[in-house]
Amino acid sequence: DSCPPIAAVSPGDALMALGRPVLVVPPGTDRLSASRVVVAWKNTLQSRRAISDAMPLLKLADQVQVIQVTDTANRAELDDVVAHLALHDVNATGIQRAADRAGTAAAIMEVA
């Protein structure tokens, strides 16, 4: 990943390392409605915390896509996250992608 000279870290690295909500917007964005939100999910303490911390924003969104990049076809964990969000009145759907050579961050950015 190339990093713009002004940024200290690439968005992909931030997504994978922070364990906190990360808001990525296109350059030149001067207004944000957050009507569509993408959540990257991995069953870790950091992901659970990020969803909890982002809940106020998720509740405002018209549509939330929860993305899981995994080597298995088992959707139970992803479906549990979507059900949890539904309990908080979040309109969420789950998207599962297979892990490949491009890497997890690339798969998340592609869906986003």
Side-chain angles (χ1 to χ4, degrees), residues 68 70-79 96:
Q68 180 183 36
T70 182
D71 291 328
T72 92
N74 185 345
R75 289 184 54 95
E77 189 178 286
L78 180 59
D79 293 340
Q96 194 173 58

Side-chain angles (χ1 to χ4, degrees), residues 25-91:
V25 296
T29 300
D30 60 353
R31 186 171 166 272
L32 182 67
S33 68
S35 60
R36 294 183 348 179
V37 175
V38 174
V39 173
W41 175 256
K42 183 176 182 180
N43 190 12
T44 63
L45 177 61
Q46 294 85 356
S47 290
R48 292 188 292 275
R49 169 100 188 245
I51 284 180
S52 178
D53 289 350
M55 194 63 74
L57 178 66
L58 300 177
K59 287 181 177 186
L60 294 174
D62 295 329
Q63 178 186 17
V64 174
Q65 294 178 322
V66 182
I67 301 168
Q68 180 183 36
V69 179
T70 182
D71 291 328
T72 92
N74 185 345
R75 289 184 54 95
E77 189 178 286
L78 180 59
D79 293 340
D80 285 347
V81 174
V82 171
H84 171 75
L85 291 171
L87 290 174
H88 292 276
D89 297 322
V90 174
N91 179 25

